[in-house]
Amino acid sequence: MFRAAALVVALAPSLALASDQVCRRLDVSFTPARLEAQEPIPVASQMVAWLEDAAGNYVTTIYITDAVGRYGIGNRPGRYDFNSGYGWPYGRRITTFPVWAHAKPEDFPLAVFQDGQDNNLSHSPVQSSVDSYFCQPLLPDSSSYDLMTCATVARTDKGTMPSDGNRSLYPPRSDLVGAREDSAEVAMYEAMN
């Protein structure tokens, strides 16, 4: 089940791109709350904040949580209708922050598995490199917690971005360092993001 909280900061005309070029500062603070008692706060709290001008036109993104902004949950290999979520490396979440995704003018090449088989979640070791973001442990209260040794190393196919014209409203991951098993496009993900 998709759960998210979104914050949109709409500023008065004098604040958004002021013609008098006066700098203004806007501070926003909030305290995230758990949606369910057993869920940790980082999983439950997804947020994006962006600026719009007086006419409601997108200006810029000022903050986006890591799941979308750094780890590319909206644009990663796999089908959008496969179950996915925090801690699961495959299946793009194309319903994440839909208002923001459609408001901004940027789009990105669509990430797909290197072998082009988005229906298959089992990938050869020659296409899967170590992925420290998805390694264990999960959380201290998790039944699979392994004392923070990262003993369970995850290997994932980071995908490729073919020039077939398929686009995504979401940026790719920006946390990757390419390995020999990865496609050459992985090295460009951060610059695209």
Side-chain angles (χ1 to χ4, degrees):
M1 184 170 128
F2 174 77
R3 286 169 263 157
L7 171 67
V8 178
V9 180
L11 300 175
S14 63
L15 292 176
L17 302 175
S19 60
D20 59 4
Q21 298 300 313
V22 174
C23 293
R24 307 245 196 270
R25 177 178 159 167
L26 172 68
D27 292 316
V28 177
S29 64
F30 69 98
T31 303
R34 296 176 193 269
L35 294 177
E36 296 177 18
Q38 73 274 13
E39 255 187 307
I41 289 175
V43 176
S45 300
Q46 292 297 310
M47 186 180 83
V48 63
W50 67 95
L51 296 177
E52 295 180 352
D53 63 19
N57 299 309
Y58 172 90
V59 174
T60 190
T61 300
I62 57 174
Y63 179 80
I64 190 164
T65 49
D66 282 348
V68 175
R70 180 177 299 161
Y71 300 118
I73 197 169
N75 188 9
R76 59 187 184 178
R79 290 176 21 183
Y80 73 90
D81 58 344
F82 277 172
N83 287 335
S84 66
Y86 181 78
W88 177 247
Y90 301 131
R92 60 185 67 89
R93 299 279 295 275
I94 62 171
T95 58
T96 305
F97 308 138
V99 176
W100 167 82
H102 289 276
K104 63 183 186 45
E106 302 93 4
D107 65 2
F108 307 89
L110 181 69
V112 297
F113 288 123
Q114 292 180 67
D115 63 7
Q117 301 297 316
D118 278 358
N119 292 334
N120 183 3
L121 296 183
S122 178
H123 297 274
S124 163
V126 299
Q127 297 171 326
S128 301
S129 61
V130 172
D131 196 329
S132 59
Y133 177 65
F134 293 104
C135 90
Q136 301 288 330
L138 296 173
L139 299 167
D141 58 350
S142 171
S143 62
S144 61
Y145 188 66
D146 72 3
L147 301 177
M148 304 179 102
T149 63
C150 198
T152 308
V153 176
R155 298 180 61 86
T156 65
D157 181 344
K158 313 307 183 292
T160 187
M161 294 187 162
S163 58
D164 59 7
N166 289 326
R167 308 292 289 177
S168 172
L169 297 174
Y170 302 92
R173 290 178 70 172
S174 68
D175 68 313
L176 299 175
V177 175
R180 63 182 162 78
E181 299 91 351
D182 296 327
S183 71
E185 286 86 5
V186 166
M188 299 182 297
Y189 285 8
E190 184 175 11
M192 285 184 223
N193 188 317

